[in-house]
Amino acid sequence: MSFQQGLSGLNGAAKSLDVIGNNVANASTVGFKQSQTQFADMYANSMNRSGNSPVGIGVTVANVAQQFTQGNISSSNNPLDIAINGDGFFQMAGSLEDKSPMYGRNGQFQLDKSGYIVNPSMNGAYLMGWAAGASGGDPVPLQIDTSSIPATTTTSISTKVNLDSRLSKPTTTPFNAADPTTYNNSTGVTIYDSLGNPYSVQTYYVKHDPDTTVTPPTTSWDVYAKVGDQTLVTTSGGTTPLSLGTMKFDSTGSLIGVFDSTGTQITSGLMSLDLTAAGPNANIAAGGGNFASAITLSYAGSTQTGSAFVNLAQNQNGMPPGTLSSFSIDKDGNIVGSYSNQQTKNLGTVVLVNFANPNGLQPLGNNLYAATGAAGSPLVGKPSTGTFGSLQARAVEDSNVDLTAELVNMIVAQRVYQANSQTIKVQDTVLQTLVSLR
């Protein structure tokens, strides 16, 4: 029996050295998870369990279990490198035709010639996730859409100003954009037509004397505009400046409302900047672009106080076309594209997959695993939710191999091998002695 015990010990020690050697060899492999050899003792039992010996007949390798503990995270210069901080695996597909899922933790990704996110160190496997606009369903190979964002026509302008109540009305009339003595203040904003052509819009504010016929008195300010070098006029081909409307303030400096040229309050509170083809200022649009509807101007929140004129806030909802300049991946897996027009857009979402028993996964090589019944059903979800870890871009997860510990384990396995070989040597000596008896 000692021969069998020693032989099983040699086999077990050799298997342990194989596992240790594989761990050491992959100490620098990104996303690699070290393995551990697990042993079990063996006993010789009969069918009816009679005559059992309390002395075992050696050892057997019960399992080689991978240790899915977190590896250290190291930064990199590749914007597509992704590290998982926590539980979960990337879902991969071997090809666009065969989307049988595979799983791994190696996040060294690149773009192929078609814009798909692939992992060369995983034999070119395709990273799976949700396409732009989707928030669930079956994952698909992620492809970066490099198409441009189309232009958006400006349809509204929002301006909030504080007008200086201490100013007197202009000394010269009528309003003339070229003559600063005909207005008190001005603000500017850029708008865009249907093709994304930019136009500079300058708005001018002309104060009236306070209306003392009402108690308490009110103060009005006319608003005029110039687009590019052309002042807006009342009629096509005319020269009379167009008043977009009048802002009226009460004695506390609050905006009462906006009124048209007839003195009627505009119920919507919005002035109108008409640059459409049907309007008197249609010739302003150039280069084939147009404005399909009049642009609304809101002065909500504007005030008139005894302090200097200031433009408190201003924005408009148009934008020029934009080309994709870069993209990044956030901790929640969102792939966010940044465009030349300062806009951003979601290009897709990286998903993670988790298992009840990761040790039940079947290693496939190339840092990939296949699901098995022992691992449990794959759970697909968004990073940073539930039990899923978060993602860190421009980083990779190092191998979790503790090289110092593995070198110590190697020494121990070597001693075990030597000790088992010694039991075989002793048993051989004993048998030789028995044979030589006379």
Side-chain angles (χ1 to χ4, degrees):
M1 227 173 20
S2 295
F3 282 117
Q4 184 173 347
Q5 292 163 342
L7 182 60
S8 69
L10 289 177
N11 289 334
K15 187 70 172 181
S16 179
L17 284 169
D18 288 342
V19 173
I20 293 170
N22 186 58
N23 289 342
V24 172
N26 285 282
S28 298
T29 302
V30 171
F32 177 80
K33 300 302 178 184
Q34 67 176 346
S35 297
Q36 181 185 72
T37 311
Q38 298 175 344
F39 299 100
D41 56 357
M42 291 191 300
Y43 286 84
N45 294 326
S46 62
M47 290 291 292
N48 60 6
R49 306 184 66 84
S50 63
N52 290 350
S53 170
V55 179
I57 60 172
V59 67
T60 183
V61 175
N63 187 31
V64 177
Q66 289 202 285
Q67 308 301 300
F68 288 95
T69 56
Q70 178 72 45
N72 294 328
I73 293 179
S74 300
S75 60
S76 74
N77 294 322
N78 179 12
L80 277 177
D81 281 349
I82 314 171
I84 302 175
N85 189 359
D87 295 335
F89 297 83
F90 297 114
Q91 182 171 331
M92 314 293 295
S95 68
L96 296 177
E97 293 76 25
D98 180 11
K99 299 183 178 63
S100 300
M102 301 178 291
Y103 309 95
R105 300 266 302 190
N106 185 339
Q108 294 176 302
F109 297 108
Q110 297 177 7
L111 288 182
D112 70 3
K113 63 181 181 180
S114 300
Y116 287 98
I117 302 177
V118 298
N119 194 319
S121 60
M122 289 181 171
N123 205 27
Y126 291 82
L127 177 64
M128 306 287 279
W130 294 323
S135 58
D138 293 334
V140 298
L142 288 172
Q143 184 180 27
I144 301 301
D145 182 7
T146 58
S147 59
S148 300
I149 292 180
T152 301
T153 308
T154 299
T155 59
S156 66
I157 301 173
S158 176
T159 302
K160 183 163 66 175
V161 295
N162 177 71
L163 300 168
D164 191 346
S165 63
R166 300 168 298 182
L167 298 179
S168 301
K169 72 176 184 179
T171 57
T172 307
T173 57
F175 166 75
N176 182 355
D179 185 357
T181 65
T182 64
Y183 58 89
N184 297 93
N185 302 106
S186 67
T187 57
V189 65
T190 299
I191 63 172
Y192 300 91
D193 66 14
S194 59
L195 296 179
N197 296 313
Y199 302 86
S200 175
V201 175
Q202 198 76 13
T203 48
Y204 301 86
Y205 307 98
V206 179
K207 186 180 182 182
H208 289 269
D209 286 329
D211 183 2
T212 57
T213 62
V214 295
T215 303
T218 61
T219 306
S220 298
W221 294 73
D222 288 338
V223 180
Y224 295 88
K226 182 176 72 171
V227 179
D229 295 328
Q230 182 174 324
T231 300
L232 298 190
V233 293
T234 56
T235 58
S236 180
T239 58
T240 304
L242 172 67
S243 173
L244 301 181
T246 301
M247 290 187 287
K248 186 179 291 187
F249 297 89
D250 63 20
S251 60
T252 67
S254 298
L255 181 63
I256 297 173
V258 177
F259 298 79
D260 63 20
S261 58
T262 66
T264 303
Q265 185 169 356
I266 302 173
T267 56
S268 65
L270 301 173
M271 298 182 189
S272 179
L273 182 66
D274 188 0
L275 303 178
T276 63
N281 300 285
N283 60 330
I284 289 177
N290 65 77
F291 294 90
S293 60
I295 300 171
T296 59
L297 282 78
S298 171
Y299 282 96
S302 293
T303 57
Q304 177 195 245
T305 65
S307 58
F309 171 84
V310 61
N311 190 359
L312 299 171
Q314 190 165 55
N315 60 74
Q316 56 84 38
N317 64 348
M319 65 178 182
T323 56
L324 182 65
S325 55
S326 65
F327 61 90
S328 60
I329 302 173
D330 65 19
K331 65 181 183 64
D332 299 326
N334 299 309
I335 306 174
V336 182
S338 297
Y339 292 80
S340 59
N341 58 0
Q342 310 305 312
Q343 301 298 306
T344 59
K345 177 183 175 182
N346 183 276
L347 303 176
T349 303
V350 179
V351 300
L352 292 182
V353 181
N354 209 355
F355 297 87
N357 176 30
N359 286 311
L361 294 173
Q362 176 186 353
L364 300 175
N366 292 316
N367 262 351
L368 289 170
Y369 303 88
T372 65
S377 299
L379 303 175
V380 180
K382 188 174 183 179
S384 302
T385 63
T387 60
F388 299 105
S390 61
L391 301 185
Q392 184 172 335
R394 291 182 178 271
V396 293
E397 181 187 8
D398 298 335
S399 167
N400 66 351
V401 173
D402 184 341
L403 196 55
T404 301
E406 292 301 317
L407 293 176
V408 172
N409 292 337
M410 188 183 300
I411 295 173
V412 173
Q414 180 186 10
R415 296 299 185 204
V416 171
Y417 193 96
Q418 290 173 336
N420 280 280
S421 65
Q422 195 67 25
T423 65
I424 294 175
K425 180 178 180 181
V426 170
Q427 183 67 17
D428 177 61
T429 301
V430 170
L431 285 177
Q432 185 177 2
T433 300
L434 287 174
V435 169
S436 63
L437 291 175
R438 302 191 189 281

